[in-house]
Amino acid sequence: MSGPEQRTADAADCPWSSRSQSQSRSRSRGTSIASSWLHDELQPGEHEPTSALLDYCKRKFLRPYVAILTLVGLNPISTDMSNVRAWCSYVQALMVLCVLMAGYVLRYICGYRGDRGFSSYRDIRPISNGTDGGAAIPNTIGELLFGYIVPSGFNLMGFVSAVLVCKVIDHEQLQNLIERVFLMSAKPKRLCRMLWLFLGVAFALLILLFSYACCVVVMQPAQIVKISWLMDALSNWEMWLRVGLLVTILLQDLVEIIILSNYYIECYLLRVHLETLSHKLLMHSIDSLDWMREVLEFRKLLERLNQHVSIPVCFLIVMNLAYAFAGLVYLFKDFDFHYCALKLVLLNIANVMLWLFLGLLPFFVASSVTRVCQNAQANGHQIRVRPFVYHNTSAEDLNSTLLFAASLDMSAKLFRMPIQPNYLCFAILVVVIVILTLGMCLNLTALGKI
């Protein structure tokens, strides 16, 4: 039989060969279309999905976020960083520490407190009857200790502990967490937008904090030096003292906002990571044994959050809540509403609300992580009652997954205590009752007579 006849006979005997070739060509076209979509959506020039996702993560969020941490010397020390860059990073953190300490001294010299602005009554009492409204009021040991030293100490310990966590303890743990969540996420672009939304809210809080300081400093009369024996020596440096005070306040607020926003971002990443794992287990897109391994890795990341990342946040929570409650007592007891301007009243109220918000927000974020951890405990029961998704899985595997999920005891912690949503609601109730009690008992005539 000749060659053409043989090929004709083979085609007649194997009619499925042409169909299989066309199906393979269509599959290859579909694969090329999907890869080109990922190529255009994530990173031109990358053909491997994993590398494309990692490059997208680094370009869109990781590198800019590390640059933001670098502003206050909190950038982590990676293994591929040279010794010169590592030493420069430590020197930068030391410089930030020195500026912070200079700011604490400048606050005391000018009599500026975080809970009420300037601690003297020059800003609320008029100059009348021969009284010098700019006269300095002598300090007491209690005001020096609890008004300046203790709050400054909490702020300083928060920064020092954050430097130790970022540069000594964790190294590349933050980068590994971000990359892991981006790889697990089904919508990396949405995840990136949410992370930048957190940073945008943090920037708005920074603007509010600094705006209060600017308004109080601008409204203060010509002399802001509170220590009597320094008034004459620093009388010619009035403008520079105001500028220096505002710059150091801005740096202190920036350090606090970056530390708190880093905690919020890590809590959100952990929450997304566990939600993704739970969704994959329910959809049977991950093997139960692989899911157990991933959950154990998540537990390590959660322990890192509770034991290391939360430490500087706890120092700042104490400082913020102390400022909030001290400002409340000042408004209800010591603040003279009859002699001050309305804008100063509103500024102090806004300052109290801002410190209270910054003090309570970490508890809300931690409680959201705890809620997701509690939901993950029910995953074993949910897959056990799904007859169509896990119909080919043995009962032994389902029971082992159920026992493993039910035995999970994970929660976000602050001050070494698990943060539960129901306890948080009770704490907020107590705060509201305290505020109402202060308003009823301490300053009933604040708004005048009827």
Side-chain angles (χ1 to χ4, degrees):
M1 185 179 294
S2 62
E5 294 176 353
Q6 179 68 30
R7 286 192 296 270
T8 304
D10 292 340
D13 294 337
C14 301
W16 50 268
S17 60
S18 60
R19 290 195 301 270
S20 63
Q21 292 175 1
S22 63
Q23 291 175 359
S24 63
R25 284 195 299 270
S26 63
R27 284 195 300 268
S28 64
R29 283 196 300 269
T31 305
S32 63
I33 291 173
S35 63
S36 64
W37 174 83
L38 185 61
H39 168 86
D40 297 333
E41 189 72 19
L42 296 178
Q43 167 63 28
E46 293 288 345
H47 301 284
E48 182 67 23
T50 301
S51 61
L53 280 172
L54 289 178
D55 188 78
Y56 177 80
C57 168
K58 292 178 180 179
R59 284 188 303 109
K60 296 297 184 179
F61 182 75
L62 184 57
R63 290 171 184 167
Y65 183 60
V66 172
I68 294 175
L69 295 177
T70 309
L71 292 176
V72 292
L74 294 180
N75 55 312
I77 304 297
S78 58
T79 55
D80 57 348
M81 182 180 293
S82 62
N83 294 330
V84 176
R85 291 182 58 191
W87 278 108
C88 290
S89 178
Y90 285 114
V91 170
Q92 182 187 5
L94 183 61
M95 292 176 60
V96 173
L97 179 63
C98 294
V99 176
L100 288 177
M101 297 183 69
Y104 303 146
V105 176
L106 194 57
R107 279 191 176 213
Y108 174 69
I109 292 175
C110 298
Y112 183 89
R113 293 175 52 171
D115 58 332
R116 66 187 65 177
F118 291 96
S119 58
S120 67
Y121 290 95
R122 297 189 304 266
D123 51 344
I124 61 175
R125 291 194 182 277
I127 302 175
S128 60
N129 298 328
T131 303
D132 185 7
I137 294 179
N139 279 335
T140 62
I141 297 178
E143 183 183 5
L144 173 63
L145 181 61
F146 294 102
Y148 299 98
I149 295 179
V150 173
S152 299
F154 278 111
N155 187 273
L156 183 63
M157 288 188 291
F159 175 72
V160 172
S161 59
V163 171
L164 293 177
V165 168
C166 294
K167 296 184 179 298
V168 179
I169 299 177
D170 281 354
H171 294 293
E172 295 183 342
Q173 295 297 321
L174 176 62
Q175 177 180 349
N176 295 335
L177 172 62
I178 295 174
E179 291 178 352
R180 176 187 291 268
V181 176
F182 265 88
L183 290 176
M184 293 286 294
S185 176
K187 298 178 180 179
K189 293 184 67 175
R190 182 179 180 273
L191 174 62
C192 185
R193 286 195 295 266
M194 289 299 299
L195 294 176
W196 280 111
L197 178 62
F198 275 101
L199 292 178
V201 173
F203 182 70
L205 292 174
L206 175 63
I207 292 177
L208 292 176
L209 283 173
F210 188 62
S211 299
Y212 171 78
C214 290
C215 293
V216 172
V217 172
V218 170
M219 292 171 60
Q220 191 70 5
Q223 187 72 23
I224 66 171
V225 179
K226 184 178 179 182
I227 302 178
S228 58
W229 56 274
L230 287 177
M231 284 184 177
D232 296 333
L234 299 177
S235 59
N236 297 327
W237 296 84
E238 183 71 25
M239 182 58 66
W240 292 108
L241 285 175
R242 291 175 183 267
V243 173
L245 179 63
L246 288 177
V247 170
T248 54
I249 289 175
L250 176 61
L251 182 61
Q252 292 166 12
D253 294 340
L254 180 62
V255 167
E256 175 173 359
I257 291 299
I258 287 180
I259 293 175
L260 292 178
S261 62
N262 179 70
Y263 181 76
Y264 303 154
I265 286 175
E266 294 204 25
C267 286
Y268 178 74
L269 289 172
L270 290 175
R271 192 182 70 186
V272 171
H273 186 30
L274 188 57
E275 287 177 346
T276 304
L277 289 176
S278 299
H279 178 73
K280 287 187 175 184
L281 179 67
L282 296 180
M283 295 294 104
H284 205 183
S285 57
I286 186 175
D287 186 69
S288 59
L289 186 59
D290 294 334
W291 177 79
M292 295 180 189
R293 295 194 186 99
E294 291 292 338
V295 170
L296 292 178
E297 291 296 326
F298 170 83
R299 175 178 285 179
K300 295 178 182 179
L301 296 173
L302 183 62
E303 288 297 322
R304 167 187 166 271
L305 178 77
N306 295 333
Q307 296 181 3
H308 302 311
V309 182
S310 64
I311 294 177
V313 177
C314 292
F315 287 121
L316 296 178
I317 287 174
V318 173
M319 186 192 70
N320 294 340
L321 292 181
Y323 277 157
F325 288 111
L328 280 174
V329 174
Y330 175 63
L331 283 175
F332 287 116
K333 184 178 180 181
D334 297 328
F335 198 86
D336 197 338
F337 287 85
H338 300 288
Y339 289 103
C340 67
L342 178 61
K343 56 184 177 181
L344 191 60
V345 177
L346 298 178
L347 279 175
N348 279 272
I349 293 175
N351 184 47
V352 169
M353 297 302 295
L354 189 57
W355 287 122
L356 189 62
F357 178 77
L358 290 175
L360 293 179
L361 188 58
F363 292 99
F364 285 98
V365 177
S367 66
S368 66
V369 178
T370 302
R371 179 182 56 82
V372 175
C373 294
Q374 292 174 349
N375 294 338
Q377 289 183 298
N379 288 339
H381 296 277
Q382 293 178 8
I383 66 172
R384 196 69 177 86
V385 298
R386 285 178 175 246
F388 301 105
V389 180
Y390 282 87
H391 62 279
N392 292 328
T393 307
S394 63
E396 182 180 357
D397 293 340
L398 292 177
N399 291 333
S400 62
T401 306
L402 187 149
L403 291 175
F404 177 82
S407 63
L408 293 176
D409 186 13
M410 301 181 298
S411 62
K413 297 180 181 180
L414 288 171
F415 302 97
R416 303 287 179 169
M417 297 183 299
I419 305 301
Q420 304 288 344
N422 51 348
Y423 297 155
L424 182 60
C425 295
F426 176 75
I428 295 174
L429 176 63
V430 172
V431 170
V432 173
I433 293 175
V434 169
I435 294 175
L436 292 177
T437 304
L438 290 174
M440 293 176 183
C441 299
L442 297 181
N443 202 5
L444 293 177
T445 62
L447 301 179
K449 298 180 180 180
I450 299 178

